[in-house]
Amino acid sequence: MSIERRTTRQKEAIKAVLEEQDGPLLPDDIHRLAIKVVPSLGIATVYRSLKNLQAEGQVCCVEIPGQAPRYERSDKGHHHHFHCRDCGQVFDLQKCVAGGLKNLAPPGFEVIDHEIILYGTCKACLS
Amino acid sequence: MSIERRTTRQKEAIKAVLEEQDGPLLPDDIHRLAIKVVPSLGIATVYRSLKNLQAEGQVCCVEIPGQAPRYERSDKGHHHHFHCRDCGQVFDLQKCVAGGLKNLAPPGFEVIDHEIILYGTCKACLS
DNA sequence: GATCTATTGATAAAAGGTAATCAGTATCAA
DNA sequence: TTGATACTGATTACCTTTTATCAATAGATC
């Protein structure tokens, strides 16, 4: 049987941050935002909560090559990401051009999944 | 003025490994392969050589999310990669369907570069 | 061959991110 | 309210990858 869960201000604050955010966030980002609600919040609790939320399927992990894992709500459906090389922020993309991707693989290879990452400058950094 | 370079068995072995390999390799892979030619080769020398080759533009870095950087010759032109979830090996893809990718970004965003990674099972692991 | 010094290999140590520890706190059922 | 215990926060430990250190080795030039 699974462990009894309790509702805490800390977990609620972390979930709220992930809820209202568009793109994926670093554990450190989440900490910095959630600390506004629960000032005593420790980074260890952020890692613990993310691990639990991920196990429960509420949150999923987004990895940009060469960077630490980010986390976002898992109810957003299939999508990809844009990484701004100026501010470092990661944004969600709406559409996915996966059609034709499978043809990229060599003959005899089975494609199960794919990842597309766009790099560039976001709107805010351009202006 | 730049530092005088010397030709060594170690550097030649590392370059040869990168030369005859198709996909990108981990420093550890390179070490394991080059050691067959120069048994005394240390891992530090692999890192040092990769750093130099990269600075000279002969080698470039390939990053798969959540994994250590791999390295490959930089004379292969624009291409992407296939990561086999079974054996962990990374393969080069020939074509690139970049057309239409720019449209994925939100209005006002400038796309400079992109990355496409296919995940699945390679031919060898399927059979 | 002799000399200079770039390079090497073994090792220690750094860096970054994450997990373990543990005493104290707070939740929730009774 | 009380009691059992899940949770927290501070800190330390950890893990993996990469870099620094340094004495010894070995290219390149004369």
Side-chain angles (χ1 to χ4, degrees):
Chain A
M1 62 192 225
S2 64
I3 283 177
E4 171 200 343
R5 295 279 188 211
R6 291 177 187 174
T7 305
T8 66
R9 294 177 308 127
Q10 288 85 346
K11 285 191 265 187
E12 293 304 304
I14 289 166
K15 273 165 75 173
V17 164
L18 289 166
E19 210 63 45
E20 65 203 18
Q21 203 67 20
D22 288 335
L25 297 175
L26 294 166
D28 204 57
D29 295 328
I30 297 168
H31 184 232
R32 202 163 41 249
L33 290 168
I35 220 171
K36 292 176 183 169
V37 180
V38 183
S40 70
L41 182 66
I43 187 67
T45 298
V46 175
Y47 278 103
R48 271 187 294 242
S49 299
L50 286 174
K51 203 174 157 191
N52 290 338
L53 289 168
Q54 206 177 2
E56 293 164 9
Q58 296 191 247
V59 156
C60 64
C61 180
V62 173
E63 305 209 56
I64 305 293
Q67 304 194 22
R70 288 173 167 83
Y71 298 87
E72 68 181 357
R73 314 192 311 270
S74 48
D75 60 1
K76 292 192 284 188
H78 180 73
H79 66 282
H80 297 295
H81 299 94
F82 179 100
H83 179 239
C84 177
R85 288 226 165 95
D86 260 54
C87 64
Q89 228 184 311
V90 176
F91 301 84
D92 286 353
L93 300 178
Q94 301 314 320
K95 300 163 286 183
C96 168
V97 288
L101 274 187
K102 304 221 175 205
N103 309 329
L104 288 180
F109 282 51
E110 186 194 8
V111 177
I112 295 171
D113 199 2
H114 67 274
E115 189 59 69
I116 298 175
I117 300 157
L118 302 188
Y119 296 92
T121 315
C122 76
K123 196 172 181 178
C125 287
L126 273 176
S127 52
Chain B
M1 61 188 225
S2 63
I3 285 178
E4 172 201 342
R5 297 276 187 211
R6 291 181 186 170
T7 306
T8 66
R9 293 178 308 128
Q10 289 85 345
K11 285 190 265 187
E12 294 303 304
I14 290 165
K15 274 163 75 172
V17 165
L18 289 165
E19 209 63 46
E20 65 203 22
Q21 204 67 19
D22 290 334
L25 296 176
L26 293 167
D28 202 58
D29 294 327
I30 297 168
H31 183 233
R32 202 165 39 248
L33 290 168
I35 221 173
K36 292 176 184 171
V37 180
V38 183
S40 69
L41 181 66
I43 187 66
T45 298
V46 174
Y47 279 102
R48 271 186 296 242
S49 299
L50 285 174
K51 204 174 156 191
N52 291 338
L53 288 169
Q54 206 176 3
E56 293 163 10
Q58 296 191 248
V59 156
C60 65
C61 181
V62 173
E63 305 210 55
I64 304 294
Q67 304 195 20
R70 287 173 165 82
Y71 298 86
E72 67 181 359
R73 315 192 310 271
S74 48
D75 61 2
K76 291 192 284 187
H78 179 73
H79 66 282
H80 296 295
H81 299 94
F82 179 100
H83 178 239
C84 177
R85 288 226 164 95
D86 258 54
C87 64
Q89 228 184 310
V90 176
F91 301 84
D92 287 354
L93 299 178
Q94 302 313 321
K95 300 164 286 184
C96 167
V97 287
L101 273 188
K102 304 223 175 204
N103 309 329
L104 288 182
F109 282 51
E110 187 194 6
V111 177
I112 296 171
D113 200 1
H114 67 272
E115 188 59 67
I116 297 175
I117 300 157
L118 302 188
Y119 296 93
T121 315
C122 77
K123 196 173 181 176
C125 287
L126 272 176
S127 52

